[in-house]
Amino acid sequence: MAAQAVIGLLAHVDAGKTTLAEAMLHVSGAIRVAGRVDKGASHLDTDSMERARGITIFASQASLDWAGTHLMLVDAPGHVDFSAEAERTLQALDYAILVVGANDGVQGHTETLWGLLERYAVPTFVFVNKMDLEHPGHDVLMRELRERLSTGCVDGAALLAGVEDMLEEAAATDEAALDEYLDSGTLASSTLVRLVSERSIVPCFFGAALREEGVDGLLDGVANLIAGHVWPKEFAARVYRVSRSARGERLAWLKVTGGTLRAKALVDGRNPHGEAWTEKIDEVRLYQGASFETVAEVPAGQICAVTGLSRAVPGCALGAESAGEEPVLAPVLSYQVIPSEGLDVTTLVRALRELASEDPLLGVAWHEQLQEVHVQLMGEVQQDVVREQLRERCGMEVSFGTGGILYKETVAASVEGVGHFEPLRHYAEVRLMLEPLPRGAGVEFGTCCAEDDIDRNWQRLILTNAMERDHAGVLTGAPLTDVRITLLAGRAHLKHTEGGDFRQATYRAIRQALMCARERGDCMLLEPWYRFRLTVPAECVGRALADLSRMSAEFAPPEATGEMARIEGAVPASEVGEYALEVARFTGGRGQLSLAFSGYRACHDAEAVVAAADYDPEADLPNTPDSVFCSHGAGFTVKWYDVPNHAHTEVDPARLRPYRPADAAFFSTRGT
């Protein structure tokens, strides 16, 4: 059987990534004529919005054969607004080709993509494109790749040709390889394959995709330097994208990582938050750009699209596949969605949530107090795409309000909370603990509760309720993050407890804990920060430093590079605004600002943001911290601060069990 690999193409916008994909398909004979991005005729940019804008918005697939190797290409979005879609594709890849423009070098978004490739341990090739344009030269570009990406970057063509200096550079990255080189004066091809697969070396190729120069050399490098893979026999797969076909069918795109995927088969799936489901696969499709063929089965190691999985979302694990990594990239802006006159808001929310099932980071929220719909987006280009999707799919016309920074909230110290829900003929009580986690950890869930205190089925239900929604903080109502929520105790009634009772008790317990933390001063507001690189003429450095200080940026001393100076650091996203345009103005067009999301940190002006939000957590009735108790056959409300005095449960440390995460094993019914 021929060697095969799923290989993704990634790049910053305008580096020529899709043009390279077209050239690879044409040079290999997979297509007769290479499509042109600038003419809206690319084989891989099949969506009308992609062709109109000349950018990749949605990941697309195609296959080619070269030198006995079968390559399945995934062309991932390059624009920063769609970097979350690019990140999701990484878990489907065996290898990646990172495209860099020779004319503008390594950009901030290139470094972001490189960091993601490192995080997901994807072996990578680099293709330096546009060598037919003005550029600083091969050696300067190689030096930049080594400085900005990896010291393991080596000239791929020289490596394949057995150039002594290049073999020595490759050997120096690995102790065993160095011993082999010193003993024999060369490196076996199997050693080079291993060094690439372990990310010890990064072969770099140079060319001009539009002219198809250097493309055959890149294909030779990939074919000779990828490793074979032995896949498990038990069926497993991971969903990395969900979309709609031209006929409106819901497609789940997945990588088969074990066994064989068969049409008409029942598959067990688990959503990223642990929700389990079983559904039947209808069709299995292999796509080549916009066209596809229907097949009966797909073996491990390949990618495909399937119909029939209505509950699958990106990040779902199927069969024996393990839970995936939580995404790093997330939207930092929140926009109000304004419906056109006569458009029912309920219908709009339903349509937006359908889009969110394809892109979970869309973050649709209905603000009851404001009577407004908000979505979380990466930027204005993504805003245009959402508007167009609503128009094409649903016939809805919407506009967007001014984008605001998407703040988040967390806790600075552990805090316990209790929620009770006992209107007439209902009963549930939940006690839990919120603990702070490191930045970027997200929200984790688990239990320390003994099963003889509350049955495991009730514990599963409580944790499912906790995991099914984002929880609002109590400073500004922003989403809660970087906390661990642990079930400590609970109580059900033999006769009166229903499933929805624990949902109410769980929500109230989390909210009550946050109110207690707020009273103690242990709630924190977080804001997104950008990593930046600012390049300005030497005479403008003083102005640039003053601007950065005013924006509360953190930065290293300027570095002189000829007539220009480079400043790198981090800056709050809320302070950036239109500063890139300002840089162009005060430098006469010679300056450049590049930005890349670097995560959330403590808000630099939290008091002002909280005051401006004017959020009253007790008036937010859908997120009430109060509880409902029953007396003499009637329910009555108890304010959050008095709930512990009325609660029916206590936490006995001696009865707590070791922490158990709410993972797939916990939710499994096997053996229980």
Side-chain angles (χ1 to χ4, degrees):
M1 179 179 174
Q4 65 176 25
V6 178
I7 187 160
L9 279 74
L10 300 100
H12 65 81
V13 70
D14 292 333
K17 169 182 56 59
T18 301
T19 301
L20 174 61
E22 296 286 332
M24 293 173 70
L25 292 169
H26 184 237
V27 168
S28 65
I31 58 177
R32 289 186 176 183
V33 179
R36 289 284 297 261
V37 175
D38 55 348
K39 295 181 179 179
S42 165
H43 286 79
L44 293 176
D45 285 346
T46 58
D47 187 88
S48 59
M49 289 180 285
E50 294 179 312
R51 295 193 167 189
R53 291 179 175 273
I55 61 173
T56 301
I57 297 174
F58 310 107
S60 55
Q61 290 74 39
S63 298
L64 63 87
D65 293 288
W66 185 267
T69 302
H70 183 64
L71 299 179
M72 292 153 280
L73 301 184
V74 180
D75 184 17
H79 195 285
V80 67
D81 277 17
F82 308 102
S83 49
E85 169 108 355
E87 180 181 1
R88 285 195 290 267
T89 67
L90 296 187
Q91 296 189 53
L93 303 183
D94 300 315
Y95 290 84
I97 298 174
L98 183 62
V99 185
V100 176
N103 55 330
D104 50 14
V106 176
Q107 299 290 294
H109 189 49
T110 314
E111 292 177 307
T112 298
L113 292 170
W114 180 259
L116 293 173
L117 290 166
E118 284 188 317
R119 181 176 192 255
Y120 293 103
V122 181
T124 305
F125 299 84
V126 170
F127 185 76
V128 181
N129 192 24
K130 302 186 178 182
M131 290 294 288
D132 53 333
L133 302 182
E134 184 177 349
H135 60 80
H138 174 280
D139 292 346
V140 174
L141 289 167
M142 275 302 308
R143 185 164 59 249
E144 182 182 22
L145 293 173
R146 290 183 178 124
E147 291 175 353
R148 302 286 297 281
L149 300 182
S150 169
T151 55
C153 287
V154 296
D155 187 302
L159 187 71
L160 289 177
V163 175
E164 185 176 343
D165 290 348
M166 204 52 55
L167 290 174
E168 185 176 349
E169 283 188 25
T173 65
D174 178 85
E175 187 173 341
L178 183 59
D179 290 341
E180 178 185 338
Y181 180 76
L182 293 175
D183 288 342
S184 65
T186 188
L187 293 176
S189 58
S190 59
T191 301
L192 295 177
V193 168
R194 178 180 66 81
L195 293 178
V196 172
S197 67
E198 294 175 355
R199 293 180 53 86
S200 296
I201 62 173
V202 181
C204 303
F205 297 85
F206 296 76
L210 190 59
R211 299 184 178 185
E212 297 186 350
E213 295 174 0
V215 177
D216 53 351
L218 171 65
L219 287 168
D220 285 341
V222 172
N224 282 282
L225 294 173
I226 63 171
H229 194 104
V230 179
W231 300 97
K233 293 183 178 180
E234 186 177 4
F235 169 70
R238 178 172 303 284
V239 179
Y240 64 92
R241 182 190 173 207
V242 173
S243 69
R244 293 278 174 180
S245 72
R247 297 183 298 198
E249 302 156 303
R250 193 173 196 269
L251 298 176
W253 301 77
L254 48 88
K255 165 78 172 293
V256 184
T257 55
T260 302
L261 172 72
R262 293 183 173 87
K264 310 303 180 184
L266 285 175
V267 296
D268 296 326
R270 295 173 308 284
N271 285 353
H273 290 315
E275 177 193 2
W277 46 266
T278 301
E279 288 190 319
K280 180 181 178 181
I281 290 175
D282 290 334
E283 287 187 347
V284 180
R285 301 176 178 180
L286 297 180
Y287 271 82
Q288 187 80 351
S291 61
F292 68 88
E293 65 170 316
T294 302
V295 296
E297 61 183 37
V298 170
Q302 294 192 15
I303 54 178
C304 62
V306 303
T307 63
L309 300 186
S310 63
R311 300 175 66 182
V313 297
C316 270
L318 306 183
E321 180 70 6
S322 60
E325 297 276 354
E326 286 290 324
V328 172
L329 301 180
V332 299
L333 298 172
S334 177
Y335 293 86
Q336 180 191 355
V337 186
I338 305 170
S340 59
E341 186 175 352
L343 176 57
D344 178 60
V345 175
T346 303
T347 305
L348 172 60
V349 171
R350 189 182 302 117
L352 286 168
R353 285 180 175 158
E354 177 63 32
L355 294 182
S357 72
E358 301 168 17
D359 182 359
L361 296 181
L362 194 60
V364 181
W366 166 250
H367 292 268
E368 185 73 28
Q369 289 175 295
L370 302 173
Q371 293 289 294
E372 293 177 353
V373 186
H374 287 244
V375 292
Q376 300 170 12
L377 301 174
M378 303 287 280
E380 292 186 2
V381 177
Q382 189 186 12
Q383 178 188 120
D384 292 343
V385 169
V386 170
R387 181 190 293 112
E388 188 63 27
Q389 286 178 317
L390 290 173
R391 179 185 297 119
E392 288 186 355
R393 291 192 190 180
C394 312
M396 297 179 180
E397 295 291 340
V398 301
S399 58
F400 289 86
T402 304
I405 294 297
L406 181 61
Y407 294 95
K408 295 188 179 183
E409 297 185 31
T410 190
V411 294
S414 300
V415 59
E416 289 188 20
V418 58
H420 191 96
F421 188 69
E422 192 187 358
L424 185 62
R425 296 188 179 88
H426 293 269
Y427 186 96
E429 183 167 295
V430 171
R431 279 187 179 268
L432 42 74
M433 176 182 288
L434 272 61
E435 302 170 271
L437 290 177
R439 294 292 158 264
V443 183
E444 296 180 3
F445 303 87
T447 179
C448 291
C449 189
E451 292 181 18
D452 50 0
D453 285 345
I454 182 169
D455 187 79
R456 179 187 287 200
N457 287 332
W458 289 128
Q459 293 192 40
R460 287 192 187 114
L461 180 60
I462 292 167
L463 291 173
T464 298
N465 293 152
M467 296 162 65
E468 68 188 4
R469 62 178 282 186
D470 287 333
H471 297 279
V474 293
L475 297 176
T476 66
L480 185 67
T481 191
D482 297 345
V483 296
R484 174 180 290 147
I485 299 177
T486 305
L487 175 62
L488 301 179
R491 180 175 291 182
H493 191 282
L494 288 174
K495 183 178 180 181
H496 295 311
T497 299
E498 298 178 358
D501 299 343
F502 271 115
R503 176 178 288 106
Q504 288 292 330
T506 301
Y507 291 175
R508 293 164 194 261
I510 294 172
R511 193 70 168 176
Q512 198 266 345
L514 290 172
M515 291 298 289
C516 292
R518 183 176 185 261
E519 188 176 49
R520 293 179 350 201
D522 285 334
C523 286
M524 288 180 60
L525 188 67
L526 305 177
E527 67 177 343
W529 282 58
Y530 289 132
R531 184 175 68 252
F532 74 86
R533 188 205 305 168
L534 176 60
T535 304
V536 297
E539 63 269 20
C540 298
V541 168
R543 162 69 188 272
L545 294 178
D547 288 346
L548 293 172
S549 297
R550 174 182 52 79
M551 293 190 291
S552 300
E554 300 173 358
F555 50 89
E559 295 183 11
T561 55
E563 297 180 354
M564 306 293 286
R566 188 172 67 202
I567 311 169
E568 297 186 355
V571 61
S574 60
E575 297 289 344
V576 174
E578 300 294 329
Y579 187 62
L581 297 177
E582 182 64 21
V583 169
R585 277 194 291 269
F586 76 74
T587 63
R590 299 166 64 198
Q592 184 180 36
L593 175 69
S594 62
L595 300 167
F597 177 62
S598 67
Y600 275 77
R601 304 188 191 182
C603 183
H604 76 289
D605 58 346
E607 289 186 9
V609 174
V610 171
D614 194 23
Y615 176 69
D616 182 355
E618 295 188 66
D620 187 354
L621 297 183
N623 295 295
T624 180
D626 304 334
S627 284
V628 178
F629 288 81
C630 186
S631 178
H632 304 294
F636 65 98
T637 300
V638 174
K639 297 298 293 181
W640 65 270
Y641 48 79
D642 205 23
V643 171
N645 296 325
H646 288 73
H648 298 172
T649 58
E650 293 183 354
V651 177
D652 181 357
R655 294 186 61 79
L656 293 178
R657 297 295 183 260
Y659 175 82
R660 185 173 185 181
D663 55 13
F666 178 78
F667 286 103
S668 172
T669 58
R670 297 172 186 170
T672 63

